[in-house]
Amino acid sequence: MRRVGKIKELWRYPVSSVTGERLDEVSVSATGMEGDRRYALVDAETGIVAHPERDKRWQKAVFVKSRTAPSGAIEVHVPDREWLHVEAPGLIAALTAFFEFPVEVRPYERSAATVEATSFAVGRYDVSPLHLLTSASVDHLKSLHPAGNPDRRRFRPNIFMDAESDVTGFAELGWIHKPIRLGDLDGTVIAPTKRCGFTIIAQKGLENDPEILRNVMKFGARNMGVYCAPDATGVLKVGDAVWLL
């Protein structure tokens, strides 16, 4: 068993495609983080879920925020507006004004809970219970593109791991199919994370930078970070050690 790092940050995205919330600890299960990707932005006229990497109309989504209130309710913040409950009457109007086309927030509880209202996004995240990214990968990308800023927020990990000094390069790409321990929780690294145009989109403090994706494609075969599947239910905390078994 080899210690490869420790959990530096935990991120949850209650509404997919928008900026999520940073946590100190979170419950997880075989299907991923509790409360992750519960809702999605949708084009109200077509019913198509937001894809900022494919459709420029959605690229402003990174300036919208989502969080989980103490009550468990999901809240959304549109720039220059107050936080609104996901079912608040004014949220649709605020989103539509911000994006300049009709936008709704619809529930998405993974395919296990699919009903007519959620079928538009069935299976979108089923392959990816937990997305792990190491500081080694971010540092390596910075060395390949010194003028750029490969901030971890570009890659939207659930777990951002501070790597041990002997973990270098796109190290986690070599962990596929290997057992991993996150704190007290065992699991398996199941797949590499294939990157898309979302990584280059401008957001707060970060400029649009196509070289980010070009270097991931050239040196990582378009992959950076990995997906992990927990074996059981447990709690992850910032500071938990990460072991490769």
Side-chain angles (χ1 to χ4, degrees):
M1 187 165 62
R2 172 193 174 201
R3 176 171 167 144
V4 291
K6 66 178 181 180
I7 296 175
K8 185 175 183 179
E9 296 175 2
L10 292 166
W11 288 87
R12 176 168 61 193
Y13 307 90
V15 179
S16 65
S17 299
V18 312
T19 295
E21 55 187 347
R22 190 169 167 180
L23 307 169
D24 293 323
E25 63 178 71
V26 65
S27 296
V28 301
S29 69
T31 58
M33 273 189 181
E34 181 180 306
D36 195 41
R37 272 93 175 193
R38 289 180 57 188
Y39 291 84
L41 296 180
V42 177
D43 183 324
E45 294 183 338
T46 65
I48 297 174
V49 68
H51 282 282
E53 73 280 11
R54 301 179 190 172
D55 188 339
K56 289 184 177 180
R57 298 182 309 157
W58 288 114
Q59 290 188 359
K60 296 192 294 183
V62 291
F63 297 100
V64 177
K65 302 176 184 178
S66 64
R67 71 183 182 187
T68 307
S71 65
I74 302 304
E75 297 178 336
V76 176
H77 181 265
V78 180
D80 301 321
R81 305 293 182 103
E82 62 183 9
W83 284 93
L84 292 171
H85 185 282
V86 72
E87 296 178 1
L91 181 57
I92 291 177
L95 288 168
T96 296
F98 179 68
F99 285 102
E100 300 181 284
F101 64 93
V103 173
E104 296 179 353
V105 178
R106 296 185 186 177
Y108 173 52
E109 296 284 0
R110 312 252 176 167
S111 58
T114 297
V115 294
E116 184 178 356
T118 65
S119 61
F120 65 92
V122 169
R124 188 178 183 191
Y125 297 109
D126 284 353
V127 71
S128 53
L130 289 174
H131 173 201
L132 181 146
L133 178 69
T134 70
S135 61
S137 283
V138 172
D139 291 344
H140 184 52
L141 188 55
K142 178 65 175 177
S143 72
L144 296 171
H145 178 36
N149 184 1
D151 189 285
R152 81 282 186 222
R153 290 176 295 151
R154 290 187 184 274
F155 308 99
R156 300 172 64 80
N158 292 123
I159 302 167
F160 182 51
M161 189 195 89
D162 193 11
E164 296 290 326
S165 59
D166 62 340
V167 176
T168 59
F170 292 146
E172 60 266 39
L173 297 181
W175 301 349
I176 310 302
H177 304 310
K178 293 186 177 180
I180 193 169
R181 178 171 294 164
L182 304 162
D184 296 325
L185 189 65
D186 288 337
T188 304
V189 181
I190 58 174
T193 307
K194 188 171 293 295
R195 296 301 172 181
C196 64
F198 201 108
T199 59
I200 73 173
I201 295 173
Q203 54 184 286
K204 186 176 180 180
L206 300 173
E207 297 180 354
N208 183 279
D209 187 354
E211 287 300 313
I212 295 289
L213 183 56
R214 289 192 185 112
N215 279 282
V216 173
M217 293 176 68
K218 182 177 180 179
F219 296 100
R222 202 173 190 135
N223 299 312
M224 181 175 167
V226 291
Y227 295 128
C228 303
D231 292 339
T233 298
V235 175
L236 296 180
K237 299 179 181 179
V238 170
D240 279 348
V242 180
W243 303 82
L244 206 61
L245 307 181

